[in-house]
Amino acid sequence: MLTALLRVVSACTVLSTACLMAHADDATAKCDPADFDGTYKIVSGEMDGKAIPPERLHHVKAVFTAGSIVTFDKDENQVYAATFTLGPAKNGCHINMTSQKPAKEGSSASGLIKKDGDTVSLIYALPSGELPTSFKTHAKQHLFIMKKVTDAIPQNDQELKKP
């Protein structure tokens, strides 16, 4: 009887460990920077717990490539550039961004990022802000919701004219 009970407990332990390892692998796989590569239109956002007016986000885009993010305004001026690293988190992935813009080069921001289909949600704390634990802003935090618009960036004028 004791032997049978030990076998059941051992089997449950092995099964539980396998499930936890599979879950950890899933979290790690979802936190691959390459999974975010592409061009995204920023469709909504929040700053300090308040919605950003839609007209401020009109035509603003973010381009993710090889562990970097660059944002552009409606006139195609670079607004922000950073490299980033990811790690598993309860609500998506933990992100740490390091600015590459000369005026703020080396400054960092940390937060959360998640991808759901063609939608990416990014929330991060400004310097001296509290690290976000969910996708709702508080003081000194920014949130952006982005929709993927394309996988390819035209290389020349001929590609722009293709139907």
Side-chain angles (χ1 to χ4, degrees):
M1 176 88 169
L2 183 58
T3 304
L5 181 60
L6 286 174
R7 284 185 186 154
V8 169
V9 169
S10 294
C12 289
T13 302
V14 168
L15 184 59
S16 296
T17 302
C19 288
L20 286 172
M21 290 174 65
H23 180 69
D25 288 343
D26 287 346
T28 302
K30 292 179 185 174
C31 293
D32 180 355
D35 290 343
F36 294 89
D37 284 1
T39 302
Y40 297 82
K41 179 180 185 215
I42 299 177
V43 294
S44 66
E46 292 180 9
M47 289 181 167
D48 303 316
K50 297 176 184 159
I52 298 171
E55 60 274 7
R56 286 191 53 204
L57 300 174
H58 192 62
H59 297 295
V60 177
K61 69 179 179 181
V63 179
F64 287 81
T65 53
S68 70
I69 179 173
V70 180
T71 59
F72 298 91
D73 65 16
K74 64 182 174 115
D75 298 320
E76 295 293 320
N77 296 315
Q78 190 181 91
V79 177
Y80 180 76
T83 57
F84 68 89
T85 57
L86 300 176
K90 184 177 180 180
N91 294 335
C93 302
H94 174 77
I95 186 169
N96 187 41
M97 300 178 288
T98 303
S99 179
Q100 301 301 303
K101 291 285 282 183
K104 295 182 180 185
E105 192 166 358
S107 66
S108 64
S110 294
L112 298 170
I113 189 169
K114 69 178 177 179
K115 185 174 182 185
D116 185 15
D118 67 347
T119 302
V120 169
S121 301
L122 170 65
I123 186 170
Y124 59 91
L126 299 173
S128 76
E130 187 177 318
L131 187 66
T133 57
S134 68
F135 288 89
K136 176 71 179 141
T137 62
H138 299 287
K140 297 185 180 182
Q141 294 177 348
H142 291 178
L143 167 71
F144 297 100
I145 309 299
M146 300 168 264
K147 291 278 189 184
K148 193 167 193 176
V149 293
T150 182
D151 283 323
I153 298 171
Q155 300 299 314
N156 57 50
D157 289 340
Q158 292 304 322
E159 287 187 33
L160 289 170
K161 295 176 183 175
K162 287 182 182 177

